[in-house]
Each structure stands twice: as C-alpha cells, then as structure tokens.
Amino acid sequence: MTAPVTCTLCPHRCRLAPGETGYCRARTNRKGHVVPSGYGVLASMALDPIEKKPFARFMPGSKILSIGFYGCNMRCPFCQNYTISQTAPNQNTHRISPRDVLAKAAALKESHGNIGVAYTYNEPLINYEYVRDTARLIHRAGMINALVTNGQCADAVASELLPCFDAVNVDLKGFRPEIYSACGGDLKTTQRFIALAAAHCHVEVTTLIVPGLNDDPGDMAKEAAWLAAIDPDLPLHLTRYFPMYRAAKPPTPIAALHTLQDIAKKYLNCVFLGNV
C-alpha cells in the first residue's frame, strides 16, 4: 500500500493517505504526489475595479479580470467570502485552462481596458500550480498579475511565484498568535510572506477589524509599527466586518475604525478605511 505523503504548501503540513484531501479542501494525494484537486476549476470570474481587491496605490482607476477557486487553508469564523472559500467544488464551478484565461484577459483588454489578472476571492495559493502557470503566461504577454492572499504558504512557494507578480494584497488577520490560532493559521508565516513580497513588488495589507478579536489599540500600534519597518509608505486597509459565516457579532463600529486608523497613521503614511 502506498504510504501517506506530506503536503508542504502551508503550515498545516497535512499528512495525506492515498486519495485523501487536505485541510484546505483543494489538495489531494494522487499516486504519492500532492496535487490540486481541481486544477483550473474556478468558482468565480469577473472584471473588477482594481480598488475592489483592494489596491489603493496601484494603477487606480484600472479594471482587472479577477478569478477565484474554491477552498482555503484557514477557517476564519468571520469569513466574508465563505460561500467559495469554505466549500468544495459544486455545480457553480467550471474548468478553464491557463491559456483560456490569457485569451479572456487579452480580449477584455481590447474591449474594456483590462490590465491583467487578479487571483482572489478564496485563497489562491492552495492552487499555486495553476496560479503559477497562468501568471507566467500573463507576465509573458506583458499584462499585470495581482494576488490577494492570506500569505499562508511556504517560503519556497512564495519565492517561485512572486517574480511573476506586480502587486500583492495580503490579508493580515491581526497581530497576536492567538488570533491566527482561532483562524487556523500562523502569524509568523504571513509576516514572512509580507516581507518576501515587499522585496519583489508593490504590496498592500488588509486587516478586517472584528470587534473583540483584533480591535485592540495596542495590537494595532504593534502591527503598524512592524509594517512601517518594512516601508512606511506601505498602504494598510482597515475594513469593516459584517456578520458572516459563523460570526454573529454586530458590525464593527465606525468610530472604532477611525480610532484604529489614527493609531496606524502614527507609523504609516497611507491608512485607508473600507466597507464604511
């Protein structure tokens, strides 16, 4: 009988028996190799404003073809996009090859001024082979690659992918290890990813502010100071939480967002509020 193998993509390091799928619902042991369960299976595709990713300081006013898969290697109880990130493939998914994504992106460039492709909506890096293959084609065609990610991946995966990317937005859940434990992730892994990405391309960071979880002013000061040590011009987005998935707390008070913005601005030059 074939022995189990370890998926080395993220900190979970799932030990998978033959045919078994990992914590992310998107990677499977097939004949002794961990591969994407649904290479090229998309759950969503749309032409979005670049600001929606969000990017505030990267090609503002542009539109970008956005694609998303299914599954995620975190379990945030407040997930704002849980209908695809916390599911497996269903009747709403469809398969499209990297070359077909390139063709779609190029056609939208001609008709709607599309600048490239954004890999977003769920956690793209759990499907990193497809992201890599598509991003290389887009890069060679002279178009833009943008990534929206939780940053929960091995350094080797980040180093392979980042040279093809022009912009990355990293979802930083908070600045205490306990916050990441509650969400099924690892803070230091995301910190390393942010630092690696900042050495390659334009980086922005988003923190969804959830009452009682990551709205502590002291934590925000530490987060902003750490980001400023990388680059004080690095944009930080503080976005308003709304009850979704398994979280029933009321929405983030807008006054609390303004307080945290004022704290972050003591360290960073560009701090934006979202969903307000």
Side-chain angles (χ1 to χ4, degrees):
M1 182 177 179
T2 306
V5 293
T6 300
C7 179
T8 59
L9 180 103
C10 80
H12 288 292
R13 297 188 68 84
C14 295
R15 187 77 171 160
L16 304 176
E20 189 176 10
T21 297
Y23 179 85
C24 65
R25 302 187 181 96
R27 301 187 68 76
T28 302
N29 175 358
R30 289 183 181 160
K31 299 180 180 179
H33 299 280
V34 180
V35 298
S37 308
Y39 182 96
V41 176
L42 302 188
S44 186
M45 175 183 283
L47 186 65
D48 287 334
I50 194 77
E51 290 83 1
K52 188 178 177 181
K53 300 302 99 189
F55 287 105
R57 290 288 183 265
F58 182 78
M59 301 187 72
S62 300
K63 292 182 179 180
I64 190 163
L65 177 63
S66 301
I67 62 174
F69 311 94
Y70 61 87
C72 185
N73 54 2
M74 294 186 74
R75 292 286 187 275
C76 302
F78 47 83
C79 182
Q80 305 288 285
N81 213 16
Y82 70 95
T83 55
I84 64 171
S85 69
Q86 302 302 323
T87 61
N90 55 48
Q91 66 272 18
N92 296 319
T93 57
H94 63 282
R95 191 179 298 272
I96 180 171
S97 72
R99 290 196 176 277
D100 286 340
V101 173
L102 172 61
K104 179 76 171 175
L108 287 170
K109 179 180 179 181
E110 295 299 321
S111 63
H112 290 80
N114 172 46
I115 62 170
V117 175
Y119 309 81
T120 179
Y121 301 136
N122 73 319
E123 175 44 56
L125 295 186
I126 59 175
N127 227 324
Y128 95 91
E129 294 91 343
Y130 181 84
V131 171
R132 175 198 63 202
D133 296 347
T134 307
R136 285 175 176 171
L137 292 176
I138 297 296
H139 184 72
R140 290 170 191 156
M143 301 182 76
I144 295 296
N145 282 306
L147 176 68
V148 182
T149 177
N150 61 28
Q152 292 288 294
C153 74
D155 292 354
V157 172
S159 297
E160 182 178 5
L161 287 178
L162 286 170
C164 284
F165 280 87
D166 304 279
V168 174
N169 187 299
V170 184
D171 191 359
L172 180 57
K173 308 295 180 179
F175 215 66
R176 282 183 287 115
E178 306 93 289
I179 295 171
Y180 269 79
S181 294
C183 296
D186 176 68
L187 173 59
K188 289 188 180 298
T189 299
T190 294
Q191 286 182 282
R192 285 199 308 274
F193 185 89
I194 291 171
L196 282 169
H200 282 89
C201 63
H202 176 85
V203 172
E204 303 194 15
V205 169
T206 298
T207 298
L208 180 75
I209 303 299
V210 181
L213 179 74
N214 60 358
D215 58 348
D216 180 77
D219 287 347
M220 180 51 59
K222 292 176 184 176
E223 176 179 325
W226 182 80
L227 292 171
I230 295 175
D231 184 355
D233 289 325
L234 188 154
L236 172 63
H237 301 260
L238 304 178
T239 57
R240 191 184 189 201
Y241 145 91
F242 289 92
M244 293 265 188
Y245 194 34
R246 296 174 179 169
K249 293 179 180 179
T252 315
I254 293 177
L257 287 174
H258 283 290
T259 297
L260 296 177
Q261 182 185 38
D262 289 342
I263 291 169
K265 280 184 172 180
K266 295 178 182 178
Y267 305 91
L268 295 165
N269 296 324
C270 305
V271 183
F272 303 95
L273 298 185
N275 292 345
V276 294

